[in-house]
Amino acid sequence: MKKLALLIVLVFVIKLSAQEDRVITTAVPFLNIAADARSAGMGDMGVATSTDAFSQQWNPAKFAFAEQKMGIGLSYTPYLESIITDISLLNASFYNKINDQSAFAFGLRYFTLGEIELRQFANDPGTIAKPNELALDGSYSLKLSPTFSMAVGGRYIRSNLKLQQNGTEDSQAASSFAVDVAGYYRSREIAYNKFDGRWRAGFNFSNLGGKIQYDAGGQENFLPAKLGFGAGFDFILDQDNVIGLTAEFNKLLVPTPKDFNEDGVIDSSDNDEYQQIGFFNGIANSFGDAPDGISEELKEITWALGVEYTYQEAFMVRTGYFNESEQKGSRKFFTIGAGFKFKSAQIDLSYLFSTSQVKNPLENTLRFSLTFGLGQQFLND
């Protein structure tokens, strides 16, 4: 559909964020959207959860512990569905275990902003623009011990937000490259008094790369480089019933906006100095540059809690909660989800309930994922 109102909606969303105190903004924010329904159903987490076909986004080191030779995942996430129907995030992923110790994987995330009708004046027939963004990933994971693996990944990012006026393109599609470095721990099954259990933990330095620039000589923008880490435990009650609990934390490795010239206002002059911060310095500064010190640094860490109940590896029920400080974006929401597995295919669904005064673009949105497991089984214990 032709969406002249889309630009107005996007500006409205940006203004909502701008009302917060020192919100850290980056280019290509679609990389931070949970692109699969399983992770979305547990409060947008996946760094320390068990392995699935969508681990590429969250922690590619988990693929070394995959229990099946190959996996394929497809996912669809509507965006701003209550306002516009043609904005969405599409996700496809594939992994293949080379042997019991290693695996490689690929992923594609495509964020489409639909169609925008551009007019210069009332009687202008208009032109149609189709802005979109994508990320193409690849990774290799390797077990360094029976319980610990690491992975490296590469990512090509392309942001095509160019708009045409008078038959010319005013800005060019921007592109950049980034890397991920991840680790994952999964203990052997441990026998306790009334149940068995397994510990999980993980970390992922993601989207580490240079700034992205839309025009030659124009403003450079940081990628959403991020450190994610978490831990979890699986209560294996019997061969049919498993309850997994997970807690995860994330922090952007991007400098905090501040009043560089100390005039009491964060304005364009401060932005000029902010833009001069390089990628490596930005990561180093991100751990200690908040104007209010350690208290503000802690507010820049988001956290999430998630629970997943699995019955006979065929039926799953999930819930989770995600929290972000009011000064840093104020994303707060509960999620619920479910999964159904039949032979080699699994379908997952999730739903989000916002608990914040700032409207969430994914609120009241049903997300879908479809997964296929293929090939031989691997025993990781």
Side-chain angles (χ1 to χ4, degrees):
M1 295 178 64
K2 297 180 179 180
K3 301 293 182 183
L4 182 59
L6 179 55
L7 288 176
I8 299 174
V9 172
L10 293 178
V11 170
F12 174 70
V13 172
I14 291 171
K15 285 187 176 180
L16 282 178
S17 297
Q19 293 172 358
E20 305 297 336
D21 297 335
R22 289 194 285 267
V23 174
I24 300 175
T25 58
T26 69
V28 289
F30 82 98
L31 294 177
N32 288 327
I33 301 173
D36 67 280
R38 184 196 177 208
S39 298
M42 291 188 285
D44 284 14
M45 64 165 55
V47 175
T49 56
S50 58
T51 310
D52 60 26
F54 297 103
S55 298
Q56 180 68 30
Q57 176 181 3
W58 304 101
N59 186 344
K62 296 195 296 183
F63 286 126
F65 286 91
E67 297 182 351
Q68 201 149 12
K69 168 66 175 175
M70 291 185 290
I72 299 172
L74 303 170
S75 187
Y76 171 72
T77 300
Y79 200 78
L80 287 171
E81 188 177 38
S82 61
I83 302 175
I84 296 172
T85 59
D86 59 358
I87 302 180
S88 61
L89 175 63
L90 307 176
N91 182 30
S93 61
F94 168 80
Y95 77 84
N96 180 74
K97 292 202 70 170
I98 301 170
N99 50 46
D100 188 51
Q101 304 298 315
S102 60
F104 66 85
F106 298 99
L108 172 66
R109 279 172 283 170
Y110 180 78
F111 186 60
T112 174
L113 289 156
E115 294 185 349
I116 304 175
E117 184 175 344
L118 303 173
R119 298 176 184 271
Q120 296 296 313
F121 46 86
N123 296 325
D124 189 343
T127 58
I128 300 298
K130 298 180 180 180
N132 60 81
E133 298 178 304
L134 66 84
L136 180 63
D137 308 340
S139 68
Y140 173 77
S141 56
L142 175 67
K143 284 184 182 178
L144 303 182
S145 75
T147 58
F148 181 71
S149 65
M150 289 196 70
V152 293
R155 177 169 300 110
Y156 169 71
I157 304 164
R158 185 173 186 269
S159 180
N160 184 6
L161 302 180
K162 58 187 178 183
L163 301 178
Q164 296 183 355
Q165 292 184 1
N166 299 324
T168 63
E169 294 181 356
D170 292 320
S171 61
Q172 300 298 316
S175 62
S176 184
F177 291 90
V179 299
D180 295 354
V181 180
Y184 184 68
Y185 169 81
R186 197 188 85 155
S187 74
R188 290 186 169 91
E189 191 170 318
I190 304 169
Y192 295 93
N193 289 334
K194 296 183 179 180
F195 59 87
D196 291 349
R198 176 182 288 117
W199 291 95
R200 295 174 276 102
F203 69 87
N204 187 18
F205 291 89
S206 60
N207 301 317
L208 304 178
K211 295 182 181 181
I212 193 168
Q213 187 178 45
Y214 286 88
D215 295 295
Q219 176 174 300
E220 295 181 330
N221 299 280
F222 287 99
L223 295 178
K226 182 171 63 173
L227 168 60
F229 57 96
F233 184 80
D234 293 326
F235 293 86
I236 306 173
L237 306 179
D238 53 45
Q239 64 179 5
D240 292 332
N241 299 275
V242 179
I243 299 175
L245 306 179
T246 309
E248 292 189 4
F249 305 85
N250 285 276
K251 186 184 189 308
L252 281 173
L253 304 180
V254 179
T256 304
K258 59 183 178 180
D259 183 11
F260 287 95
N261 57 19
E262 299 182 351
D263 62 356
V265 180
I266 300 178
D267 52 23
S268 59
S269 62
D270 296 302
N271 185 61
D272 292 339
E273 189 164 348
Y274 184 80
Q275 292 300 317
Q276 294 177 13
I277 302 174
F279 158 63
F280 289 106
N281 287 336
I283 291 178
N285 294 343
S286 67
F287 291 98
D289 65 346
D292 290 342
I294 187 63
S295 62
E296 185 173 352
E297 290 291 347
L298 293 175
K299 291 177 181 178
E300 293 181 355
I301 299 175
T302 64
W303 58 266
L305 298 174
V307 182
E308 180 179 49
Y309 167 71
T310 303
Y311 177 70
Q312 291 187 344
E313 298 185 353
F315 173 66
M316 288 71 68
V317 178
R318 310 179 182 103
T319 188
Y321 179 74
F322 180 95
N323 182 82
E324 182 178 55
S325 169
E326 290 84 354
Q327 294 184 5
K328 298 298 177 178
S330 195
R331 289 176 297 161
K332 301 174 186 291
F333 52 82
F334 281 103
T335 62
I336 58 173
F340 309 89
K341 185 175 182 180
F342 180 74
K343 294 184 178 180
S344 62
Q346 178 174 322
I347 185 170
D348 294 294
L349 310 171
S350 70
Y351 198 79
L352 182 150
F353 302 90
S354 178
T355 60
S356 171
Q357 294 182 353
V358 177
K359 187 173 179 61
N360 192 302
L362 292 167
E363 189 171 358
N364 301 323
T365 295
L366 190 63
R367 291 186 259 187
F368 303 87
S369 292
L370 183 62
T371 305
F372 299 95
L374 307 170
Q376 72 182 87
Q377 295 283 333
F378 287 88
L379 299 178
N380 289 299
D381 286 329

Coordinates of all heavy atoms in Angstrom, one line a residue, residues 112-156:
T112 N 11.7 -4.4 6.2 CA 11.1 -3.6 5.2 C 10.2 -2.5 5.8 O 9.4 -2.8 6.7 CB 10.2 -4.4 4.2 OG1 9.5 -3.6 3.3 CG2 9.2 -5.3 4.9
L113 N 10.3 -1.3 5.3 CA 9.5 -0.2 5.8 C 8.3 0.1 4.8 O 7.7 1.1 4.9 CB 10.3 1.1 5.9 CG 11.3 1.1 7.0 CD1 12.5 2.0 6.8 CD2 10.6 1.4 8.3
G114 N 8.0 -0.9 4.0 CA 6.8 -0.8 3.1 C 7.0 0.2 2.0 O 8.2 0.5 1.6
E115 N 6.0 0.7 1.5 CA 6.0 1.7 0.4 C 5.6 3.1 0.9 O 4.7 3.2 1.7 CB 5.1 1.3 -0.7 CG 5.5 0.0 -1.4 CD 4.6 -0.2 -2.6 OE1 3.5 0.4 -2.7 OE2 4.9 -1.1 -3.4
I116 N 6.4 4.1 0.5 CA 6.1 5.5 0.9 C 5.8 6.3 -0.4 O 6.6 6.3 -1.3 CB 7.3 6.1 1.7 CG1 7.6 5.3 2.9 CG2 7.0 7.6 2.1 CD1 8.9 5.8 3.6
E117 N 4.7 7.0 -0.4 CA 4.4 7.9 -1.5 C 4.9 9.3 -1.3 O 4.5 9.9 -0.3 CB 2.9 7.9 -1.8 CG 2.5 8.7 -3.1 CD 1.1 8.6 -3.4 OE1 0.4 7.7 -2.8 OE2 0.6 9.4 -4.2
L118 N 5.8 9.8 -2.1 CA 6.4 11.1 -1.9 C 5.8 12.1 -2.9 O 5.7 11.8 -4.1 CB 7.9 11.0 -2.1 CG 8.7 10.0 -1.2 CD1 10.1 9.9 -1.7 CD2 8.6 10.4 0.2
R119 N 5.4 13.3 -2.5 CA 4.8 14.3 -3.3 C 5.5 15.6 -3.0 O 5.8 15.9 -1.9 CB 3.3 14.5 -3.1 CG 2.5 13.2 -3.3 CD 1.0 13.5 -3.0 NE 0.2 12.3 -3.1 CZ -0.4 12.0 -4.3 NH1 -0.3 12.8 -5.3 NH2 -1.1 10.9 -4.4
Q120 N 5.7 16.4 -4.1 CA 6.3 17.8 -4.0 C 5.2 18.8 -3.8 O 5.4 19.8 -3.1 CB 7.1 18.1 -5.2 CG 8.3 17.2 -5.4 CD 9.3 17.4 -4.3 OE1 9.7 18.5 -3.9 NE2 9.8 16.2 -3.8
F121 N 4.0 18.6 -4.3 CA 2.9 19.5 -4.2 C 1.6 18.7 -4.4 O 1.6 17.5 -4.6 CB 3.0 20.6 -5.3 CG 3.3 20.1 -6.6 CD1 2.3 19.6 -7.5 CD2 4.6 20.0 -7.1 CE1 2.6 19.2 -8.8 CE2 4.9 19.5 -8.3 CZ 3.9 19.1 -9.2
A122 N 0.4 19.4 -4.1 CA -0.9 18.7 -4.0 C -1.2 17.8 -5.3 O -1.7 16.7 -5.2 CB -2.0 19.7 -3.8
N123 N -0.9 18.4 -6.5 CA -1.3 17.7 -7.7 C -0.2 16.8 -8.3 O -0.3 16.2 -9.4 CB -1.7 18.7 -8.8 CG -3.0 19.4 -8.4 OD1 -3.9 18.8 -7.7 ND2 -3.1 20.7 -8.8
D124 N 0.9 16.7 -7.5 CA 2.0 15.8 -7.9 C 1.6 14.4 -8.0 O 1.0 13.9 -7.0 CB 3.2 16.0 -6.9 CG 4.5 15.3 -7.4 OD1 4.4 14.5 -8.3 OD2 5.5 15.6 -6.8
P125 N 1.8 13.6 -9.1 CA 1.4 12.2 -9.2 C 2.1 11.4 -8.1 O 1.7 10.3 -7.8 CB 1.7 11.8 -10.6 CG 2.7 12.8 -11.1 CD 2.4 14.1 -10.4
G126 N 3.3 11.9 -7.7 CA 4.0 11.2 -6.6 C 4.9 10.1 -7.1 O 4.8 9.6 -8.3
T127 N 5.9 9.8 -6.3 CA 6.8 8.7 -6.6 C 6.8 7.7 -5.4 O 6.5 8.1 -4.3 CB 8.2 9.2 -6.9 OG1 8.7 9.9 -5.7 CG2 8.3 10.0 -8.1
I128 N 7.1 6.5 -5.7 CA 7.1 5.5 -4.6 C 8.5 5.1 -4.2 O 9.3 4.8 -5.0 CB 6.3 4.2 -5.1 CG1 4.9 4.5 -5.5 CG2 6.3 3.1 -4.0 CD1 4.1 5.1 -4.3
A129 N 8.7 5.1 -2.9 CA 10.0 4.7 -2.3 C 9.8 3.5 -1.5 O 8.7 3.3 -0.8 CB 10.7 5.8 -1.5
K130 N 10.7 2.5 -1.5 CA 10.6 1.3 -0.7 C 11.9 1.2 0.2 O 12.7 0.3 -0.1 CB 10.5 0.1 -1.6 CG 9.2 0.2 -2.5 CD 9.1 -1.1 -3.4 CE 7.9 -1.0 -4.2 NZ 7.7 -2.2 -5.1
P131 N 12.0 1.9 1.2 CA 13.2 1.8 2.1 C 13.2 0.5 2.8 O 12.2 -0.1 3.1 CB 13.0 3.0 3.1 CG 11.5 3.2 3.1 CD 11.0 2.9 1.7
N132 N 14.4 0.0 3.0 CA 14.6 -1.3 3.7 C 16.0 -1.4 4.3 O 16.9 -0.6 3.9 CB 14.3 -2.5 2.7 CG 15.3 -2.4 1.5 OD1 16.4 -2.8 1.6 ND2 14.8 -1.9 0.4
E133 N 16.2 -2.3 5.1 CA 17.5 -2.6 5.7 C 17.7 -4.1 5.8 O 16.7 -4.9 6.0 CB 17.6 -2.0 7.1 CG 17.5 -0.5 7.1 CD 17.6 0.1 8.5 OE1 16.7 -0.3 9.4 OE2 18.4 1.0 8.7
L134 N 18.9 -4.6 5.8 CA 19.2 -6.0 5.9 C 20.5 -6.3 6.6 O 21.4 -5.4 6.6 CB 19.1 -6.7 4.5 CG 20.1 -6.4 3.5 CD1 21.4 -7.2 3.6 CD2 19.5 -6.6 2.1
A135 N 20.6 -7.5 7.1 CA 21.9 -8.0 7.7 C 22.1 -9.4 7.3 O 21.2 -10.2 7.4 CB 21.8 -7.9 9.2
L136 N 23.2 -9.7 6.7 CA 23.6 -11.0 6.2 C 24.7 -11.5 7.1 O 25.8 -10.9 7.2 CB 24.0 -11.0 4.8 CG 24.4 -12.4 4.2 CD1 23.2 -13.3 4.2 CD2 24.9 -12.2 2.7
D137 N 24.5 -12.6 7.8 CA 25.5 -13.1 8.8 C 26.1 -14.5 8.4 O 25.5 -15.3 7.7 CB 24.8 -13.4 10.2 CG 24.0 -12.2 10.7 OD1 24.2 -11.1 10.2 OD2 23.1 -12.4 11.5
G138 N 27.3 -14.7 9.0 CA 27.9 -16.0 8.9 C 28.7 -16.2 10.2 O 29.2 -15.3 10.7
S139 N 28.8 -17.5 10.6 CA 29.5 -17.8 11.9 C 30.1 -19.2 11.9 O 29.7 -20.0 11.1 CB 28.6 -17.6 13.1 OG 27.6 -18.6 13.1
Y140 N 31.1 -19.3 12.7 CA 31.8 -20.6 12.9 C 31.9 -20.8 14.4 O 32.4 -20.0 15.1 CB 33.1 -20.7 12.3 CG 33.9 -22.0 12.6 CD1 33.5 -23.2 12.0 CD2 34.9 -22.0 13.5 CE1 34.2 -24.4 12.3 CE2 35.6 -23.2 13.8 CZ 35.3 -24.3 13.2 OH 35.9 -25.5 13.5
S141 N 31.4 -22.0 14.9 CA 31.5 -22.3 16.4 C 32.3 -23.5 16.6 O 32.2 -24.5 15.8 CB 30.1 -22.4 17.0 OG 29.3 -23.4 16.3
L142 N 33.0 -23.6 17.7 CA 33.9 -24.7 18.1 C 33.8 -25.0 19.5 O 34.0 -24.1 20.4 CB 35.3 -24.4 17.6 CG 36.4 -25.5 17.9 CD1 36.1 -26.8 17.2 CD2 37.7 -24.9 17.7
K143 N 33.7 -26.3 19.9 CA 33.8 -26.7 21.3 C 35.3 -26.7 21.7 O 36.1 -27.3 21.1 CB 33.2 -28.1 21.5 CG 31.7 -28.1 21.6 CD 31.3 -29.6 21.9 CE 29.8 -29.7 21.9 NZ 29.4 -31.1 22.2
L144 N 35.6 -25.9 22.8 CA 36.9 -25.9 23.3 C 37.1 -26.9 24.5 O 38.2 -27.3 24.9 CB 37.3 -24.5 23.8 CG 37.2 -23.4 22.8 CD1 37.6 -22.1 23.4 CD2 38.1 -23.7 21.6
S145 N 35.9 -27.4 24.9 CA 35.9 -28.5 25.9 C 34.5 -29.1 25.8 O 33.7 -28.6 25.1 CB 36.1 -27.9 27.4 OG 35.0 -27.3 27.8
P146 N 34.3 -30.2 26.5 CA 32.9 -30.8 26.4 C 31.8 -29.9 26.9 O 30.6 -30.2 26.6 CB 33.0 -32.1 27.3 CG 34.5 -32.4 27.3 CD 35.2 -31.1 27.3
T147 N 32.1 -28.9 27.7 CA 31.1 -28.0 28.2 C 31.2 -26.5 27.8 O 30.3 -25.7 28.2 CB 31.1 -28.1 29.8 OG1 32.4 -27.6 30.2 CG2 30.8 -29.5 30.3
F148 N 32.1 -26.2 27.0 CA 32.3 -24.8 26.6 C 32.7 -24.6 25.1 O 33.5 -25.4 24.6 CB 33.4 -24.1 27.5 CG 33.6 -22.6 27.2 CD1 32.6 -21.7 27.5 CD2 34.7 -22.2 26.5 CE1 32.8 -20.4 27.2 CE2 34.9 -20.9 26.2 CZ 33.9 -19.9 26.6
S149 N 32.0 -23.7 24.5 CA 32.3 -23.4 23.1 C 32.5 -21.9 22.9 O 32.0 -21.1 23.7 CB 31.2 -23.9 22.2 OG 30.0 -23.2 22.5
M150 N 33.1 -21.5 21.8 CA 33.2 -20.1 21.3 C 32.9 -20.0 19.9 O 33.0 -21.0 19.1 CB 34.6 -19.6 21.7 CG 34.9 -19.4 23.1 SD 36.3 -18.3 23.5 CE 35.7 -16.7 22.9
A151 N 32.6 -18.8 19.4 CA 32.3 -18.6 18.0 C 32.7 -17.2 17.6 O 32.8 -16.3 18.4 CB 30.8 -18.8 17.8
V152 N 33.0 -17.1 16.3 CA 33.2 -15.8 15.7 C 32.2 -15.7 14.5 O 31.9 -16.7 13.9 CB 34.7 -15.7 15.2 CG1 35.6 -15.6 16.3 CG2 35.0 -16.8 14.2
G153 N 31.7 -14.5 14.3 CA 30.8 -14.3 13.2 C 31.1 -13.0 12.5 O 31.7 -12.1 13.1
G154 N 30.7 -12.9 11.3 CA 30.8 -11.7 10.5 C 29.4 -11.3 10.0 O 28.5 -12.1 9.8
R155 N 29.2 -10.0 9.8 CA 27.9 -9.5 9.4 C 28.1 -8.3 8.4 O 28.8 -7.4 8.6 CB 27.2 -9.0 10.6 CG 25.8 -8.4 10.3 CD 25.0 -8.2 11.6 NE 24.8 -9.5 12.3 CZ 25.4 -9.8 13.4 NH1 26.2 -9.0 14.0 NH2 25.2 -11.0 13.9
Y156 N 27.4 -8.5 7.3 CA 27.3 -7.4 6.3 C 25.9 -6.7 6.5 O 24.9 -7.3 6.6 CB 27.3 -7.9 4.9 CG 27.0 -6.8 3.8 CD1 27.8 -5.8 3.6 CD2 25.8 -6.9 3.1 CE1 27.5 -4.8 2.6 CE2 25.4 -6.0 2.2 CZ 26.3 -4.9 1.9 OH 25.9 -4.0 1.0

